[in-house]
Amino acid sequence: MIINALTDEYLRLAYHGLRAKDPQDAAHKSINTVQIAIGISIDLDPNLPKIEVVPQEIGRIMLNLINIVFQAVDEKSKMERIDFKPQVTVSKKSVADYIEICVSDNGSGIPNSIKDKIFQPFLYD
């Protein structure tokens, strides 16, 4: 699987999902305007090897993570002055015998109340 193509696909899916929300919702309207203007930086190593993954599973993880990042910058944009510029960065690189995927933002951060739970696995019915 070409991991860069998968990343690009899910990043676009999350972004367009955000944009498709009700345009009458002021919060989403403001982030759409800013995101189009600056917003997303992508730095994907073009020489990453093909890897074996289950595309749907890694895609679900990436989609959830990117949606959380978009939500964080959206929340901060509601609290900040008008000159706040949301920034989301997705990068990948090969490190030794694995691929490192980094997603960062300048959003509101992880609330202290859930920091101790972020590595707890989800249980599916």
Side-chain angles (χ1 to χ4, degrees), residues 39-43 69 87-91 102-105:
I40 303 169
S41 298
I42 303 173
D43 182 18
V69 167
Q87 182 63 42
V88 173
T89 302
V90 178
S91 65
C102 296
V103 180
S104 62
D105 65 79

Side-chain angles (χ1 to χ4, degrees), residues 39-71:
I40 303 169
S41 298
I42 303 173
D43 182 18
L44 306 178
D45 182 348
N47 299 315
L48 292 179
K50 288 185 179 181
I51 59 172
E52 289 188 39
V53 297
V54 177
Q56 296 83 358
E57 289 184 11
I58 196 78
R60 181 175 18 171
I61 292 166
M62 292 171 67
L63 186 60
N64 286 339
L65 180 59
I66 293 166
N67 280 333
I68 290 167
V69 167
F70 285 159
Q71 181 182 7

